[in-house]
Each structure stands twice: as structure tokens, then as C-alpha cells.
Amino acid sequence: MTTNWRISSFNGALLASYFIPTWAIIAYRIIETPVRGLFERPNVSAAFYLGDHLQWGAAGLIRAAWLIALGRLTVVAFFAVFLVLLCRPKIRTLGGANEALSIALGIGSLMSFALMLMASKVGEPEALRLHATELLMMLGMASVPAATSVPAEPLALQQPQLLNNG
């Protein structure tokens, strides 16, 4: 059995195994009851910021809750697509799943950063730690280099490796 797992594939799978259930549960709680779901710990910073600083009413808070749930479900969907594409060895070898991972990391990082800023503005230290941890996890994954192709055969010792090598 060939093991052609790269570090970026393995780290992406570990990251997806955290974010898929966690963010899906948070989004489900918002969908079930938008106001109660918005005032739970993962979203309380957005609720306080929008309600206190921007002075949004109940209808605006419910719309914001739905938007947060939609964003979280979008990240969950792209992580799920990444895991499905990762199961195919040909796609995994060529790095074809990296696009779904990069979209999930981009949207998720943007959401975590915005929620972290809101938590720091309203003075919620637990929510601030949660969003900072999630942001650092996603940014750490984004900094892992991913090779786009695997060489067909290893280079021989006598074979020139550079174009100008004589």
C-alpha cells in the first residue's frame, strides 16, 4: 500500500475533524433557536457587539445569527468536500483537494478574526480565547507548504538537477 499522504493533507484532515462537528453543532443551535444560539459562548461576542455597540434590534440580531450560521455551514461544507476529495488517491497525490481546503480556511479565518475582534471590543475573554485559538489553528494550517506535484521517479546522482548545470 502506498502512503502518499503529505503533511498538508494530514493536517487538513485533522483540522476538518475538529471544525466539521464543532461548527455544525453551533450552526444547528442557531438554526434551531436563533436568539438562544446567538447568545451561546461561540457567538456571544457578535450578539453583544451588534446589540450594544451597533444598537441593532431583535430582527437585525436574528438576521446576523442566520448569517453566522450560513458562514459556519459553508466552512463545514468545504471541509467535507476536502475530506471527500482526500479519499481519492489520485486527487490527493496531485493536490486537487487543496482548493476546497483553502476556501474553508479563508472563510473560517475571516469569521474567526471578525468574532475575535468583536469579543475583544465587548470584553468577553472566554470567547476571545476561543476565536483566537480557532484562528491560530487555521492560520497554522495555511502556512504549511503543499507540494503541487510528486516527481515520477527520483533523480539519479549523475543527472543534472538545474538547467545551467553542465
Side-chain angles (χ1 to χ4, degrees):
M1 183 171 122
T2 63
T3 56
N4 52 8
W5 281 79
R6 293 173 293 152
I7 187 82
S8 61
S9 301
F10 186 72
N11 282 347
L14 285 177
L15 204 61
S17 68
Y18 168 76
F19 278 102
I20 288 175
T22 304
W23 281 29
I25 290 170
I26 293 168
Y28 174 74
R29 288 181 181 162
I30 291 174
I31 292 169
E32 189 178 33
T33 55
V35 175
R36 184 186 304 167
L38 188 63
F39 281 96
E40 287 183 359
R41 180 169 293 170
N43 306 313
V44 73
S45 59
F48 285 161
Y49 184 80
L50 297 174
D52 294 344
H53 290 280
L54 298 181
Q55 299 176 354
W56 284 11
L61 287 176
I62 290 173
R63 287 185 191 112
W66 279 97
L67 189 62
I68 291 171
L70 179 67
R72 288 186 187 267
L73 287 177
T74 302
V75 171
V76 166
F78 277 108
F79 271 125
V81 167
F82 168 72
L83 287 180
V84 168
L85 291 175
L86 207 61
C87 292
R88 305 271 321 259
K90 178 86 170 164
I91 295 173
R92 181 179 59 238
T93 305
L94 296 176
N98 292 343
E99 292 155 351
L101 179 62
S102 64
I103 293 172
L105 290 176
I107 297 171
S109 297
L110 183 67
M111 285 186 64
S112 290
F113 183 70
L115 290 170
M116 183 184 71
L117 287 179
M118 290 179 198
S120 69
K121 195 74 166 168
V122 297
E124 282 291 325
E126 291 86 10
L128 178 65
R129 282 189 218 110
L130 172 71
H131 298 304
T133 303
E134 289 178 346
L135 179 64
L136 286 174
M137 285 172 33
M138 286 188 257
L139 290 178
M141 178 57 215
S143 67
V144 174
T148 56
S149 64
V150 177
E153 57 188 49
L155 295 173
L157 290 176
Q158 300 299 322
Q159 185 179 1
Q161 297 179 5
L162 300 174
L163 293 175
N164 297 332
N165 195 0

